[in-house]
Amino acid sequence: MSETWWRGAAIYQVYPRSFADGNGDGVGDLAGLRSRLPYLSDLGVNAVWITPWYPSPLADGGYDVADYRDIDPVFGTLAEAERFIAEAHARDIKVIIDVVPNHSSTASEWFKQALAAGPGSPERERFWFRDEPGEWRSIFGGPAWTQVPDGQWYLHLFAPEQPDLNWTNPEVHAEFHDVLRFWFDRGVDGIRIDSAALLAKPEGLTGRFEDLDEVHDVYRSWRRISDEYGGRVLIGEVWLPDQERFARYLRPDELHTAFNFDFLACPWDPARLRSVIERTLATHVPLGAPPTWVLSNHDVARVVTRYGRADTSWDHGDRRDGVPSDLGLGFRRARAAALLAMALPGGVYIYQGEELGLPEVDDIPGELRQDPIWTRSGHTVPGRDGCRVPLPWSGDEPPFGFGAGRPWLPQPEDWRKLTVEAQTADLGSMLTLYRTALRIRARLLGDGTLTWREHGPEVLAFTRDSGLTCVTNLSAAPVPLPPHEEILLTSGPLDEGLLPPDTTAWLM
Ligand code: NOJ
């Protein structure tokens, strides 16, 4: 693959705790991940993105990193991570890891040193310590300031265990430069940058804390390092509704790509989807940056559940946990959406379990929930555990081949129909759809451009550079297919030659 492999890649997101458990302790790990590499090869993805695997007290599923230069013992060892990278490469799968520059962990050496050194010390200057708390609220609920025993307060935009780093301090810059080199030296092909727009804070720590101009200097310096290594890819987690501001992260000397959350948040509605797609292309094309298409990740409700609800949009502020969903309808739409996302120009992300059509698990008992959103909301918002339940691989009952132990979050009994094993044998399964689509995509789709075809107001139709036409029917009635010579794939059966509602077809 070329140096710009990422422009049209299919990237599979691994949430390691929930992917596969090799040592039987109920938590996914590197041994499990390595043993399932053949599955990822067979699925046909070009890269994996692994969410944080570093030592962490897991106050926020690993997004509280205590040490960037090691692997959490629950997952394995650094040597094992190196073996994993080599094994993935041997299968032509690139490896992207997660870096979390906005905050650290209270278990990090730096934070321990800051506590020990006391107020006014250079060690405290790596964080945001103040004598009085500020007004900001934590994104996870509750105040964004926590007091330490000597009376000072420190800032944490997320959980109290995730102290924000002070990006006006050159030591912080140097540390992350070193972390990038540490992993690039070990062969990783790219970095996913967590909360990428939050790093710079306004003077006085009041007012808006998102998307301050200073943050771009950070990414310019990271780009120089990535370029030194032959262009390792930098991918921003940038949730910004303002496209002009979003585009600034994709300038030629900054990040290569960023997640397109507008597409994920968009309701299943033809006009809205068309306008998000057009807006996305209008933002990316002038910059020469490839768009990305994301339907789900470890922070949002599963696609099947979302698309089966009366309101199919996504909003972080209103997670709609437990809102009833017609899963049959959601499943049909998720299949149609997968073919739509995979046909669009640019890269596509697949969150583990999306290819199995897993629904959100709404009935996890409160005492087993781990997400800080659950605790910090005073047990009123269940949070993100429902999309993080360990994968079902095989067999008729939990743990469904996930590993020998009891999974860290309980799997629903009826997932027996959704295991990899059950779906491999079923030509009509979600897994078969993903496998087939990814194979076609590798040949005919990915990076490039599209030309819209007008096919009625509630139908999205476009043709790609290869000549493949993708048509999605979002109306309530079947529609004729546009002229074609061959039907390559459909997300559901045709109805007497017509394309039924909530169905996508790929035509040549
Ligand atoms: C975004 C990550 O995807 C999420 O899981 C995490 O809680 C926050 N950033 C804070 O790191």
Side-chain angles (χ1 to χ4, degrees):
M1 265 202 187
S2 72
E3 263 191 19
T4 53
W5 61 269
W6 42 270
R7 294 189 62 90
I11 301 177
Y12 186 91
Q13 180 189 351
V14 171
Y15 193 75
R17 287 168 73 66
S18 303
F19 187 69
D21 172 18
N23 69 357
D25 65 356
V27 180
D29 50 31
L30 275 164
L33 176 54
R34 290 172 63 206
S35 76
R36 297 294 183 180
L37 265 172
Y39 170 76
L40 296 174
S41 280
D42 194 41
L43 182 58
V45 294
N46 308 115
V48 288
W49 149 34
I50 321 274
T51 63
W53 56 5
Y54 320 101
S56 163
L58 293 169
D60 180 22
Y63 284 92
D64 44 325
V65 179
D67 176 6
Y68 274 106
R69 295 172 185 80
D70 206 349
I71 295 290
D72 196 291
V74 93
F75 298 136
T77 62
L78 185 56
E80 232 177 329
E82 289 171 355
R83 279 201 290 279
F84 162 73
I85 295 167
E87 288 163 359
H89 286 167
R91 291 181 174 274
D92 215 7
I93 295 177
K94 307 280 184 188
V95 178
I96 295 161
I97 57 163
D98 222 305
V99 166
V100 191
N102 180 67
H103 42 270
S104 174
S105 161
T106 46
S108 67
E109 278 311 309
W110 269 15
F111 196 79
K112 290 190 225 158
Q113 288 164 9
L115 284 192
S121 62
E123 286 82 354
R124 288 214 172 175
E125 282 305 304
R126 294 163 174 161
F127 301 92
W128 294 106
F129 278 90
R130 292 289 178 271
D131 292 331
E132 301 294 334
E135 83 225 0
W136 285 339
R137 309 283 300 167
S138 150
I139 292 165
F140 287 159
W145 292 89
T146 289
Q147 195 167 28
V148 298
D150 57 46
Q152 278 209 312
W153 301 73
Y154 67 90
L155 172 69
H156 51 88
L157 289 183
F158 294 93
E161 295 86 351
Q162 296 168 292
D164 276 47
L165 289 162
N166 174 359
W167 279 89
T168 67
N169 185 337
E171 264 194 88
V172 173
H173 289 254
E175 166 67 1
F176 276 86
H177 290 169
D178 198 58
V179 166
L180 296 189
R181 290 180 191 286
F182 181 89
W183 286 103
F184 289 160
D185 286 338
R186 279 163 181 75
V188 310
D189 304 284
I191 303 280
R192 179 262 188 193
I193 305 162
D194 187 77
S195 305
L198 299 185
L199 277 50
K201 306 292 188 293
E203 223 164 289
L205 303 176
T206 60
R208 202 188 84 228
F209 57 66
E210 196 171 56
D211 188 35
L212 270 71
D213 288 345
E214 291 73 14
V215 76
H216 295 283
D217 295 335
V218 176
Y219 301 131
R220 284 195 194 94
S221 71
W222 289 23
R223 180 62 176 258
R224 286 194 290 276
I225 295 176
S226 132
D227 286 347
E228 269 178 47
Y229 282 85
R232 310 292 169 95
V233 62
L234 302 175
I235 306 162
E237 190 212 11
V238 183
W239 290 87
L240 284 181
D242 180 333
Q243 288 287 299
E244 234 173 84
R245 302 291 306 182
F246 176 87
R248 291 156 58 93
Y249 291 77
L250 299 177
R251 288 177 289 199
D253 59 347
E254 295 194 38
L255 308 183
H256 298 88
T257 70
F259 292 100
N260 177 7
F261 292 119
D262 282 1
F263 185 68
L264 181 157
C266 185
W268 186 244
D269 170 273
R272 302 279 294 278
L273 277 168
R274 168 116 184 207
S275 104
V276 163
I277 295 167
E278 283 179 348
R279 220 163 72 111
T280 301
L281 295 173
T283 305
H284 287 76
V285 170
L287 290 159
T292 64
W293 307 99
V294 186
L295 288 171
S296 66
N297 65 30
H298 63 293
D299 292 329
V300 306
R302 289 281 190 183
V303 198
V304 167
T305 302
R306 255 172 32 224
Y307 282 159
R309 289 178 181 155
D311 181 348
T312 51
S313 66
W314 173 255
D315 177 357
H316 267 315
D318 171 15
R319 302 183 52 84
R320 306 187 193 108
D321 297 297
V323 167
S325 172
D326 173 345
L327 293 182
L329 178 65
F331 191 72
R332 207 159 62 237
R333 289 174 170 171
R335 292 174 64 92
L339 292 200
L340 171 63
M342 285 194 234
L344 287 164
V348 69
Y349 285 82
I350 299 163
Y351 172 48
Q352 67 179 42
E354 190 182 306
E355 81 281 18
L356 302 177
L358 299 185
E360 186 75 2
V361 182
D362 279 329
D363 59 357
I364 300 172
E367 67 276 12
L368 296 180
R369 289 197 175 270
Q370 314 249 343
D371 189 349
I373 293 181
W374 168 245
T375 29
R376 290 186 59 83
S377 67
H379 299 171
T380 58
V381 184
R384 302 164 295 178
D385 292 320
C387 65
R388 299 175 175 181
V389 172
L391 292 193
W393 291 92
S394 57
D396 288 330
E397 56 188 16
F400 293 121
F402 172 68
R406 180 204 291 236
W408 67 283
L409 287 173
Q411 301 159 306
E413 297 280 340
D414 64 1
W415 278 14
R416 70 174 64 85
K417 301 183 297 257
L418 297 176
T419 64
V420 170
E421 185 181 48
Q423 297 203 39
T424 298
D426 176 359
L427 288 183
S429 70
M430 186 72 100
L431 180 56
T432 302
L433 181 77
Y434 268 74
R435 281 184 174 144
T436 314
L438 285 166
R439 208 148 293 140
I440 297 173
R441 187 178 183 279
R443 237 175 354 109
L444 300 173
L445 298 164
D447 193 21
T449 56
L450 64 69
T451 309
W452 288 104
R453 304 269 166 238
E454 295 316 325
H455 205 67
E458 296 182 303
V459 177
L460 298 177
F462 56 85
T463 302
R464 293 294 317 274
D465 322 54
S466 61
L468 185 150
T469 293
C470 175
V471 44
T472 305
N473 181 7
L474 290 109
S475 76
V479 295
L481 291 172
H484 61 275
E485 284 177 7
E486 194 189 343
I487 300 174
L488 299 179
L489 185 63
T490 61
S491 66
L494 296 182
D495 176 0
E496 295 179 3
L498 300 178
L499 186 68
D502 300 316
T503 309
T504 296
W506 284 0
L507 311 169
M508 275 303 259

